[in-house]
Amino acid sequence: MQGAASNGTPFSGWRIVWTVALAQALGPALMSPLGVFMTELQAEFGASRAAVSLGGPILAGMMMLVGLVLGPRLDRGPIRRIMLWGVGIMLVAMLALSRATSLGEIGLFLAVASVGMSMYGHLPAQVLLVNWFRRLRGRALAVSTIGMSGSGLLLPPLCALLIASVGWRDTISLIAVAAAALCFFPIASFVVNRPEDV
């Protein structure tokens, strides 16, 4: 499953590796700069640090619950359609979050965004790479995590700069729109459930 297929078709697995690396960088890893927004959210809503800090647990809990439902559907496919729907859900939820008028709304929209991120993040990445790779599966899985590492390094300082320039609401909008635009076309172009489908 690494190399040319038996019918002479070039092996497309590495394009999928880089696509899911990008999707993970701009999916679950979008939450890496949560801490950067804390001061702004506290000031905006007069909330305690403890209340604002609930964003992380909300995200983790929702992703765990979504995984229970999403796993069997990813096994049956179509993975591309699921991932594209996920990008759309993330975008709408993050844009709504950027205009939230209370911490409750922020929690709700964050939970919905985490559903979308799960649909195009690490769960479909794992399924796709297991489907496409055998001998080099470990290497493919390792390379696919580069996106999350890079995003965790770059997004917090980028968000801090944007917040200082345009405010926290427009920062969330810009990050969401950029993530959706960068993810949509590679997913639409390259994601195929398994080599046999090419």
Side-chain angles (χ1 to χ4, degrees):
M1 294 178 78
Q2 283 77 240
S6 58
N7 63 1
T9 304
F11 179 66
S12 301
W14 291 106
R15 287 191 299 186
I16 289 177
V17 170
W18 292 111
T19 298
V20 299
L22 179 65
Q24 290 181 97
L26 300 173
L30 277 183
M31 294 301 114
S32 59
L34 272 177
V36 178
F37 292 89
M38 280 191 177
T39 303
E40 282 69 25
L41 293 176
Q42 283 182 267
E44 179 93 11
F45 300 111
S48 67
R49 179 62 57 94
V52 174
S53 298
L54 287 174
I58 288 172
L59 232 134
M62 281 303 297
M63 286 187 172
M64 183 181 67
L65 290 173
V66 169
L68 297 174
V69 177
L70 191 57
R73 284 167 175 74
L74 288 169
D75 283 336
R76 294 191 296 269
I79 297 175
R80 178 193 296 154
R81 188 179 306 158
I82 291 170
M83 292 179 76
L84 292 175
W85 269 103
V87 172
I89 290 169
M90 177 280 296
L91 177 60
V92 171
M94 293 288 277
L95 291 176
L97 189 155
S98 74
R99 301 300 170 228
T101 57
S102 69
L103 271 187
E105 287 184 6
I106 286 194
L108 172 64
F109 295 134
L110 187 61
V112 175
S114 70
V115 171
M117 292 172 191
S118 296
M119 291 171 68
Y120 71 94
H122 61 280
L123 288 173
Q126 300 290 318
V127 174
L128 283 167
L129 297 181
V130 167
N131 287 350
W132 274 86
F133 288 87
R134 288 182 188 158
R135 184 169 54 85
L136 298 178
R137 184 176 292 162
R139 184 182 300 175
L141 289 165
V143 170
S144 75
T145 64
I146 289 173
M148 290 189 76
S149 304
S151 187
L153 184 67
L154 296 175
L155 272 180
L158 174 61
C159 286
L161 287 171
L162 285 172
I163 289 169
S165 177
V166 299
W168 72 270
R169 293 182 183 276
D170 287 341
T171 296
I172 290 175
S173 297
L174 288 170
I175 294 292
V177 170
L182 289 169
C183 283
F184 188 89
F185 296 104
I187 291 171
S189 301
F190 301 132
V191 169
V192 179
N193 281 29
R194 52 184 56 85
E196 294 85 353
D197 295 336
V198 176

